């Protein structure tokens, strides 16, 4: 998934404000999101912040993926090692294990190798 430059900039925003948990859908599925006091949304798992709730939902999908290149610092996974490097940078560390580990088996790999769908 390619992102626009605006979405990519969200990955690099930092916020030192306290971050309370707020239900994303009160009375719904129980999935929670974290939001800052200044109106930004923050991932409850990593330092990612954004001004757009839909962008946060797309980002959170990366934490629940079954396959992909795994962030060495959290549960985020990406189909692209290059995009994962941009994600790792939001953690603010200078050194981290690289190249990333690919976890899970891609459904396409099964189809290509075993004729399964």
């Amino acid at each position: 998934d390619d992102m626009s430059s605006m979405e990519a900039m969200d990955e690099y925003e930092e916020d030192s404000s306290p971050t309370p948990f707020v239900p994303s859908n009160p009375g719904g599925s129980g999935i929670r999101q974290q939001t800052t006091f200044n109106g930004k949304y923050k991932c409850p798992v990593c330092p990612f912040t954004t001004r757009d709730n839909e962008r946060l939902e797309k980002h959170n999908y990366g934490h629940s993926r079954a396959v992909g290149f795994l962030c060495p610092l959290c549960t985020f996974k990406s189909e692209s090692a290059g995009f994962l490097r941009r994600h790792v940078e939001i953690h603010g560390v200078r050194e981290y294990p690289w190249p990333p580990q690919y976890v899970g088996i891609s459904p396409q790999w099964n189809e290509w190798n075993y004729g399964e769908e």
Side-chain angles (χ1 to χ4, degrees), residues 7 28 31 37 48 51 53-55 58 62 64 71 76 82 84 88 93 98 100 104 112-113:
E7 290 171 331
I31 295 172
F37 286 111
F48 175 82
R51 290 182 182 92
N53 187 42
E54 287 182 34
R55 176 67 190 106
K58 285 182 182 179
S64 63
C71 175
F76 190 86
L84 182 65
V88 172
V93 297
W98 203 260
W112 295 331
N113 292 289

Side-chain angles (χ1 to χ4, degrees), residues 62-111:
H63 286 291
S64 63
R65 292 177 65 110
V67 299
F69 290 101
L70 177 64
C71 175
L73 304 170
C74 71
T75 59
F76 190 86
K77 295 174 205 76
S78 172
E79 280 299 315
S80 162
F83 179 76
L84 182 65
R85 186 179 292 275
R86 289 187 357 206
H87 168 82
V88 172
E89 290 174 0
I90 69 170
H91 288 278
V93 297
R94 292 179 185 250
E95 295 184 21
Y96 47 85
W98 203 260
Q101 176 185 8
Y102 192 89
V103 296
I105 297 175
S106 169
Q108 287 132 352
W109 189 88
N110 278 336
E111 185 177 328

